[in-house]
Amino acid sequence: MNNDDKNKSKLRSAQWFGTADKNGFMYRSWMKNQGIPDHHFDNKPVIGICNTWSELTPCNAHFRDLAERVKNGIREAGGIPVEFPVFSNGESNLRPTAMLTRNLAAMDTEEAIRGNPIDGVVLMVGCDKTTPALLMGAASCDLPTIVVSGGPMLNGKHQGKDVGSGTLVWKMHEEYKAGNISLQEFMDAEASMSRSAGTCNTMGTASTMASMAESLGVSLPHNAAIPAVDSRRYVLAHMSGMRAVEMVHEDLKLSKVLTRDAFLNAIKTNAAIGGSTNAVIHLKAIAGRMGVDLDLDDWLEGKEVPTIVNLQPSGRYLMEDFYYSGGLPVVLRRLGEEGILAKDALTVNGKSIWKNVEEAPCYNDDVIRTFDEPLLKHGGICVLRGNLAPRGAVLKPSAASPHLMKHRGRAVVFESFEDYKARIADPDLDIDENSVMVLKNCGPKGYPGMAEVGNMGLPPKVLKKGVKDMVRISDARMSGTAFGTVVLHVAPEAMELGPLAAVEEGDYIQLDADAGVLQLEVSDEELKARLEKLKATQVIVKSGGYLEIYRERVLQADEGCDLDFLVGCRGAAVPKHSH
């Protein structure tokens, strides 16, 4: 047997296209209606391009062109590109939240990869949930896999200033509610925010997850930050297509890259970039699919890591500036020089993560700070526990107000997001800047889907006093573009009758972020009695369809919010024939 024959016997796609029988005839014949010649079925790796293009997902609306660049790279390396769509989980339009259908998109991805004649996969991702969803699905199959992100938008421009997508909305809406700007001024900013193709240009969840992909080693260097419309994004797509073919020949499966060291590198990177709290849930879900042990306490690995990336919402600049300053390789280099990075972690280009970044130059030390002059000395994610969150909650220090990181206040309770919206603007609402805003029933089962409503806007009566921040607590998430002293992901959630469900108006709550404490000043006996009373009156909602499956089987925030039956790697064994 010559080398070509040996390689052919290894190709997964050969079990569809490599046999001289009825089944081989059928698989090849129908593919040939696309004008594919005979020799393309002879010993060429088939690379699936898993595309989340959709005009309803504006972050990913440029993916048709980007996918063509991937195809060019695959062909150049001697592979066969086959593009296929999966559920496009668009954050900006999809209701009630894209988080509800993240797991559905992961299921779509997993079954599309496993059931088709594919030897390797290129994941086309961008918008917040598309990155974790496709990585979750691919991890459950464990084929050679590489990520191509769509890239961030160009900097927003408003009234001569750079403005950040998402962050601008939250800030200007608060200014409007405070009476500092007119409705017309608020609306005029709308067109200024999103002026090119791509994802949010702040260090929101999309940019965070693109950075997580690069720090995990599942993308080529610079994937995280090249702007969507920069020609270098097309080059990266081309080179990723070429690399996917090589990965098949090398049998470089996802499990060789997504190790525990890779996840710890990502956690530390998230601290250094001031990344989104949503990464906590997504990394846990990806690790769960890969069979890697990762839990909430592992985020303490990033607690002492300084935030060195000076980007909105934590800092000043935007993703375009980040790339021009050297991008994520500079951050990884600085982590490595401080002895924080697991340098031997393998990446998809076949090199260690340290080999990729050890000479990365920085062109602007104000955008990417040194460890001696960080944006925030202790970044990362605060993990909070106490009788209010026995399984944990999180807070992002780089987006919070230092004077509120240790706070005691009287609870003002909203039983649902609808309750919050109905009451927050009431001038008679008994609330002041020292109060603690508590929002219930917005977790995975409660909303459902755990929407990004945790960063509740402040009441107008407080905003008009010039107050910019208050402590807020919920079982919800918040956008990575948002800011404030916001406690999120309280577990168990209120709908599961976690202690959050028992908080009553006027209760006092203590937050000590440095000590990792979130405590409700109610005795254990009183808390138990309140929860028993709630349990006796709880109504179980039955909705049918995917929503009912989701509510019955979704895990809590500390477990990654995957569906319980999807956790684990099921591999990519070739299924039975279809005829």
Side-chain angles (χ1 to χ4, degrees):
M1 182 182 286
N2 62 35
N3 286 336
D4 283 347
D5 288 337
K6 286 180 181 177
N7 188 55
K8 183 175 180 180
S9 67
K10 295 178 182 177
L11 289 178
R12 185 173 180 271
S13 59
Q15 297 192 53
W16 276 263
F17 302 136
T19 60
D21 57 10
K22 179 196 71 173
N23 287 305
F25 178 108
M26 291 169 59
Y27 296 128
R28 289 188 300 271
S29 177
W30 272 299
M31 287 293 283
K32 283 181 176 180
N33 79 356
Q34 300 174 79
I36 298 174
D38 273 338
H39 70 277
H40 273 220
F41 295 105
D42 186 20
N43 202 27
K44 286 177 176 276
V46 177
I47 308 298
I49 303 173
C50 185
N51 200 340
T52 51
W53 169 86
S54 171
E55 290 177 344
L56 287 169
T57 306
C59 295
N60 299 12
H62 59 302
F63 278 16
R64 279 180 166 172
D65 190 12
L66 201 61
E68 290 300 318
R69 314 303 176 126
V70 175
K71 289 178 184 178
N72 291 342
I74 292 169
R75 292 188 185 105
E76 182 180 345
I80 308 298
V82 286
E83 182 182 352
F84 60 96
V86 293
F87 188 94
S88 188
N89 223 19
E91 187 68 41
S92 54
N93 284 321
L94 200 60
R95 294 185 178 186
T97 169
M99 187 62 179
L100 177 65
T101 43
R102 183 201 66 175
N103 300 338
L104 182 64
M107 291 170 71
D108 188 359
T109 302
E110 177 182 348
E111 299 308 326
I113 291 172
R114 185 180 296 111
N116 279 299
I118 293 170
D119 300 301
V121 190
V122 179
L123 305 179
M124 301 286 295
V125 299
C127 194
D128 298 16
K129 307 303 177 294
T130 58
T131 302
L134 269 60
L135 271 171
M136 289 161 66
S140 285
C141 293
D142 196 24
L143 290 178
T145 302
I146 192 168
V147 167
V148 175
S149 298
M153 293 185 281
L154 297 178
N155 290 358
K157 298 285 183 178
H158 183 62
Q159 296 178 344
K161 298 178 181 179
D162 284 350
V163 294
S165 45
T167 302
L168 178 69
V169 175
W170 316 127
K171 287 185 175 179
M172 291 201 71
H173 191 237
E174 296 289 77
E175 289 292 302
Y176 169 62
K177 289 196 300 179
N180 297 330
I181 62 173
S182 68
L183 177 61
Q184 188 58 52
E185 287 176 296
F186 176 59
M187 300 306 293
D188 284 347
E190 188 176 299
S192 307
M193 192 175 79
S194 308
R195 65 186 190 92
S196 82
T199 59
C200 289
N201 52 30
T202 52
M203 189 53 77
T205 304
S207 294
T208 297
M209 292 312 297
S211 298
M212 294 297 93
E214 189 172 331
S215 61
L216 284 167
V218 294
S219 74
L220 296 182
H222 288 291
N223 173 73
I226 303 173
V229 295
D230 193 307
S231 61
R232 287 165 287 193
R233 175 64 59 183
Y234 298 136
V235 174
L236 182 135
H238 184 111
M239 300 306 293
S240 297
M242 291 184 67
R243 183 59 195 154
V245 177
E246 295 167 354
M247 288 173 68
V248 171
H249 292 314
E250 297 166 11
D251 195 30
L252 182 49
K253 295 180 179 179
L254 202 50
S255 55
K256 297 178 181 179
V257 177
L258 286 180
T259 62
R260 179 168 165 79
D261 276 348
F263 283 100
L264 294 180
N265 281 344
I267 285 172
K268 294 165 187 175
T269 301
N270 189 75
I273 65 176
S276 168
T277 50
N278 288 304
V280 178
I281 292 174
H282 297 323
L283 287 184
K284 172 63 178 177
I286 298 165
R289 294 298 189 97
M290 201 76 265
V292 173
D293 182 26
L294 193 75
D295 61 37
L296 199 54
D297 286 339
D298 286 317
W299 283 84
L300 297 174
E301 294 272 346
K303 187 177 180 182
E304 300 302 317
V305 176
T307 298
I308 60 172
V309 176
N310 186 12
L311 258 65
Q312 296 181 31
S314 300
R316 172 184 172 189
Y317 296 99
L318 296 166
M319 287 297 292
E320 199 178 340
D321 309 300
F322 183 43
Y323 176 59
Y324 302 149
S325 300
L328 197 71
V330 178
V331 177
L332 295 171
R333 177 182 178 176
R334 290 187 171 163
L335 289 170
E337 289 172 342
E338 294 294 323
I340 294 171
L341 198 70
K343 293 182 177 180
D344 293 334
L346 183 64
T347 73
V348 290
N349 67 0
K351 301 176 183 178
S352 72
I353 196 163
W354 182 242
K355 188 68 176 177
N356 286 338
V357 305
E358 61 182 332
E359 297 180 0
C362 181
Y363 303 112
N364 190 328
D365 283 334
D366 191 39
V367 178
I368 308 173
R369 303 281 187 89
T370 64
F371 270 61
D372 293 333
E373 296 183 8
L375 185 69
L376 188 71
K377 189 175 180 181
H378 300 297
I381 301 293
C382 278
V383 177
L384 307 168
R385 282 194 168 86
N387 68 349
L388 189 52
R391 284 172 52 181
V394 300
L395 181 147
K396 179 179 173 181
S398 64
S401 300
H403 72 281
L404 291 174
M405 294 286 275
K406 188 171 185 178
H407 183 79
R408 178 179 181 270
R410 179 178 56 83
V412 177
V413 179
F414 304 99
E415 294 293 331
S416 65
F417 192 54
E418 290 72 25
D419 182 33
Y420 160 79
K421 288 190 291 184
R423 296 168 53 213
I424 193 63
D426 185 348
D428 295 326
L429 182 66
D430 186 12
I431 191 170
D432 61 29
E433 61 270 28
N434 297 311
S435 302
V436 174
M437 297 170 65
V438 176
L439 177 64
K440 302 179 184 179
N441 295 305
C442 292
K445 297 184 179 184
Y447 197 78
M450 202 180 182
E452 294 180 340
V453 295
N455 56 312
M456 295 169 275
L458 305 190
K461 65 185 292 183
V462 171
L463 289 168
K464 288 173 182 177
K465 294 164 65 175
V467 175
K468 302 292 186 182
D469 194 10
M470 292 172 60
V471 174
R472 287 156 274 181
I473 299 172
S474 75
D475 48 9
R477 298 178 301 114
M478 79 172 180
S479 168
T481 66
F483 50 88
T485 311
V486 185
V487 176
L488 303 155
H489 310 179
V490 172
E493 64 175 303
M495 184 63 76
E496 282 284 270
L497 293 182
L500 184 69
V503 180
E504 294 181 358
E505 196 90 4
D507 287 343
Y508 274 82
I509 295 173
Q510 293 182 39
L511 166 67
D512 188 338
D514 288 339
V517 173
L518 184 66
Q519 194 75 9
L520 178 67
E521 294 184 5
V522 170
S523 69
D524 292 345
E525 293 76 18
E526 172 65 15
L527 193 54
K528 182 179 179 181
R530 290 183 188 182
L531 290 172
E532 287 294 334
K533 184 177 179 181
L534 288 169
K535 185 177 182 179
T537 59
Q538 188 179 36
V539 177
I540 304 299
V541 177
K542 293 288 185 180
S543 57
Y546 171 73
L547 180 56
E548 187 164 325
I549 294 173
Y550 180 90
R551 273 188 162 135
E552 288 179 354
R553 306 301 291 270
V554 71
L555 299 170
Q556 289 294 291
D558 62 310
E559 301 169 304
C561 297
D562 204 353
L563 303 185
D564 56 10
F565 60 88
L566 293 176
V567 175
C569 179
R570 286 164 284 283
V574 175
K576 296 177 181 179
H577 285 296
S578 55
H579 292 83

